[in-house]
Amino acid sequence: MSLDLYIRFRPDQGERMEEEKRVKRRIVLVPVPAQGHVTPIMQLGKALHSKDFSITVVQTQYNRVTSSKDFSDFHFLTIPGQLLKEQGDHDEVVCVVYDEYMHFSKAAAMEFQLPSVVFSTTSATAFLCRSVLAKVNVEKFLIDMKDVEMQDKLFPGLHPLRYKDLPTSAFGPIESMLRVYSKTVNTGTASAVIINSASCLESSSLARLQQELQVPVYPIGPLHIAASAPSSLLEEDRSCIEWLNMQKPRSVMYISLGSLALMETKDAVEMAWGLSNSNQPFLWVIRPGSIPSSEWTESLPEEFSKLVSERGYIVKWAPQMEVLRHPAVGGFWSHCGWNSTLESIGEGIPMICRPFTGDQKVNARYLERAWRNGVQLEGELEKEAVERAVKRLLVDEEGAEMRKSVVDLKEKLEASVRSGGSSCSSLDNFVNSLKTKNFMHQ
Ligand code: UDX
């Protein structure tokens, strides 16, 4: 008997075949092709897949996630292509979830009469800031932002954020940034907003955001705890784990500025001096191209390699989650991207905050002032300040206090994604809302 026939004649097979024929519900994900956006949307895909949805990921030609064993059941579609018609099976597409910066996706979803959902890869507070900034008097705001004395003042209604903590961009003029923000926060025809955050982190920003937006807001994070989905676009150098294995517990400062932030040569040298003078070992991710004057570290002054070789270890890209989980790591010097922030809190690691652009400034301020897990390094980077910050985190009593508060937050985050926790329930509510007939018109 052929396998085919054998299967057909099994008594319960009719039922199973019916089941197989049954239309599965499919969700289309539209990420921004950049590491900090791809990572959380793939985690969201995993979380939704575990709720029995089929997943299609729409990608551009650049920065594509490769279909690995972690995503063996996912359907990857590279545009240009017939986005929603090219499913090749009987699945019914129930909605399009797009990264907030891929806002043009809602027009495509409308074309096919599909509901669309905004996915924010930043914090609720950063979203709220964008929503506030989208409504400011542009002329007055431009004048205020040029006024040096205003920079340290609190921005009205966004305590504890100062003018200088607002998510302005290091990559372009404020006017064009405001235009982009008004597009990202305009949920328009979208039916809901999903945020990779939890109420224990940002309850008041979440509540305000819910008031501002016309559609339900679902805080379902941190997604990296709820649904791990390894999706590194760069090759991870695992040799740093062997190096970490040789270091004392909680002695190492891990330094990484994410996938986009840049650094000047003079800052790299000041950092190397400060780190070296702190007498603490350090693991430093220097992305090729992140120091614009140098391909990697070749063109840095000789003193740099001398200082680093004594106590440090440099890689081009690290397996960050594994590094943060390693018992030798005691602190994280970060640009405070939202993923790095969540990952660091999720592992109970206090941070040195040196934001570069956009929402990172909001996160840094919250780390220092709201969650009290971080030390922010502001202004010119000088070796003495670097040394002091590293010691505060890794040696002083203050660091132990910060560690206590971050461990407390870590436990709250873990509870929020467990059954009965706020983020877990929020994900269930989102999934249930997809079943309602009027989801599209909420
Ligand atoms: C950017 C913004 O900074 C961020 O706030 C926004 O939400 C998304 O876009 P990015 O600058 O790359 O992202 O920072 P971050 O959000 O921290 O994401 C970086 C990701 O790369 C993290 O998940 C981190 O684990 C990973 N990473 C970083 C590595 O795997 N290895 C590394 O060596 C460095």
Side-chain angles (χ1 to χ4, degrees):
M1 192 189 285
S2 72
L3 182 64
D4 183 39
L5 280 176
Y6 168 74
I7 290 172
R8 274 194 204 161
F9 284 116
R10 275 173 59 185
D12 60 341
Q13 193 51 39
E15 215 175 285
R16 187 180 307 170
M17 286 180 72
E18 273 312 301
E19 177 109 351
E20 273 167 12
K21 264 192 258 154
R22 215 180 57 198
V23 174
K24 238 190 155 188
R25 296 174 306 155
R26 181 172 290 276
I27 291 180
V28 177
L29 303 177
V30 189
V32 166
Q35 186 70 68
H37 295 258
V38 166
T39 298
I41 211 166
M42 294 309 287
Q43 290 160 350
L44 176 66
K46 278 284 198 179
L48 293 169
H49 188 255
S50 75
K51 301 279 176 193
D52 211 25
F53 288 97
S54 304
I55 303 293
T56 289
V57 183
V58 178
Q59 314 209 73
T60 63
Q61 320 279 14
Y62 304 100
N63 279 346
R64 282 186 282 173
V65 180
T66 42
S67 176
S68 65
K69 64 174 178 14
D70 291 297
F71 310 115
S72 56
D73 211 17
F74 285 26
H75 183 199
F76 289 84
L77 201 67
T78 305
I79 48 174
Q82 294 290 304
L83 165 56
L84 299 172
K85 295 209 161 151
E86 225 180 69
Q87 295 306 313
D89 58 21
H90 306 292
D91 294 358
E92 175 205 358
V93 177
V94 288
C95 78
V96 176
V97 178
Y98 62 89
D99 187 294
E100 59 196 316
Y101 288 97
M102 302 297 263
H103 44 83
F104 44 84
S105 309
K106 63 185 169 226
M110 280 281 277
E111 181 85 15
F112 290 91
Q113 297 187 323
L114 289 169
S116 58
V117 171
V118 180
F119 176 51
S120 173
T121 63
T122 64
S123 67
T125 310
F127 199 122
L128 181 66
C129 287
R130 288 195 294 275
S131 170
V132 169
L133 292 184
K135 287 182 252 166
V136 290
N137 174 322
V138 179
E139 264 173 48
K140 181 174 182 312
F141 184 67
L142 290 176
I143 295 169
D144 287 348
M145 291 305 278
K146 279 190 194 125
D147 181 347
V148 184
E149 283 180 14
M150 286 299 274
Q151 293 309 303
D152 283 316
K153 300 214 166 100
L154 289 174
F155 188 84
L158 286 176
H159 181 87
L161 300 179
R162 301 158 297 181
Y163 276 79
K164 65 175 168 192
D165 302 317
L166 296 174
T168 52
S169 171
F171 296 109
I174 293 183
E175 297 91 316
S176 51
M177 178 212 75
L178 291 176
R179 274 196 297 277
V180 172
Y181 284 178
S182 70
K183 291 213 171 88
T184 62
V185 297
N186 174 9
T187 51
T189 52
S191 303
V193 174
I194 297 176
I195 307 242
N196 186 16
S197 189
S199 55
C200 64
L201 280 179
E202 307 184 273
S203 61
S204 64
S205 296
L206 279 163
R208 271 187 69 190
L209 202 57
Q210 183 58 85
Q211 273 172 6
E212 292 251 330
L213 302 177
Q214 311 295 313
V215 293
V217 175
Y218 296 99
I220 62 164
L223 279 161
H224 79 279
I225 305 181
S228 123
S231 43
S232 188
L233 300 171
L234 299 172
E235 199 184 329
E236 296 166 343
D237 184 343
R238 299 190 44 78
S239 66
C240 59
I241 302 294
E242 283 156 41
W243 180 83
L244 284 174
N245 288 341
M246 295 184 296
Q247 311 304 323
K248 291 196 191 112
R250 290 186 193 170
S251 65
V252 175
M253 179 58 68
Y254 168 59
I255 308 146
S256 164
L257 309 182
S259 63
L260 298 168
L262 305 174
M263 170 177 267
E264 288 178 32
T265 300
K266 69 172 176 39
D267 287 349
V269 174
E270 289 294 315
M271 270 175 80
W273 269 112
L275 286 159
S276 171
N277 290 345
S278 76
N279 286 331
Q280 296 296 131
F282 55 95
L283 167 60
W284 194 345
V285 177
I286 302 188
R287 239 176 41 248
S290 61
I291 304 175
S293 58
S294 177
E295 209 165 286
W296 188 38
T297 54
E298 302 85 348
S299 334
L300 293 176
E302 220 170 274
E303 61 182 315
F304 179 85
S305 11
K306 198 167 160 284
L307 289 166
V308 167
S309 63
E310 281 164 15
R311 241 174 277 285
Y313 193 79
I314 297 191
V315 290
K316 292 180 177 166
W317 193 249
Q320 181 159 302
M321 279 311 305
E322 216 178 319
V323 167
L324 290 172
R325 230 172 257 149
H326 197 287
V329 172
F332 183 10
W333 174 313
S334 172
H335 70 310
C336 303
W338 186 234
N339 297 291
S340 294
T341 301
L342 290 176
E343 289 162 6
S344 199
I345 299 175
E347 295 307 322
I349 305 288
M351 292 164 86
I352 292 181
C353 309
R354 180 80 180 169
F356 176 70
T357 184
D359 65 315
Q360 299 156 14
K361 294 182 278 176
V362 176
N363 305 336
R365 183 70 170 167
Y366 263 65
L367 279 157
E368 187 177 70
R369 289 302 166 99
W371 305 316
R372 308 211 173 263
N373 309 327
V375 172
Q376 188 166 186
L377 266 179
E378 296 188 284
E380 286 286 304
L381 205 54
E382 281 163 357
K383 53 178 178 288
E384 294 79 9
V386 172
E387 179 186 343
R388 226 175 11 255
V390 173
K391 284 184 174 159
R392 275 175 76 187
L393 226 73
L394 295 179
V395 184
D396 296 354
E397 187 53 33
E398 194 187 353
E401 287 301 318
M402 272 189 261
R403 181 174 285 275
K404 259 191 228 149
S405 90
V406 71
V407 167
D408 183 46
L409 207 46
K410 163 193 158 81
E411 282 160 11
K412 287 187 180 140
L413 285 185
E414 285 167 354
S416 70
V417 296
R418 272 201 295 270
S419 175
S422 63
S423 294
C424 182
S425 308
S426 193
L427 178 63
D428 286 341
N429 291 343
F430 171 66
V431 167
N432 289 336
S433 74
L434 289 177
K435 292 179 194 152
T436 60
K437 271 208 182 111
N438 59 349
F439 179 70
M440 193 159 180
H441 310 290
Q442 266 172 345

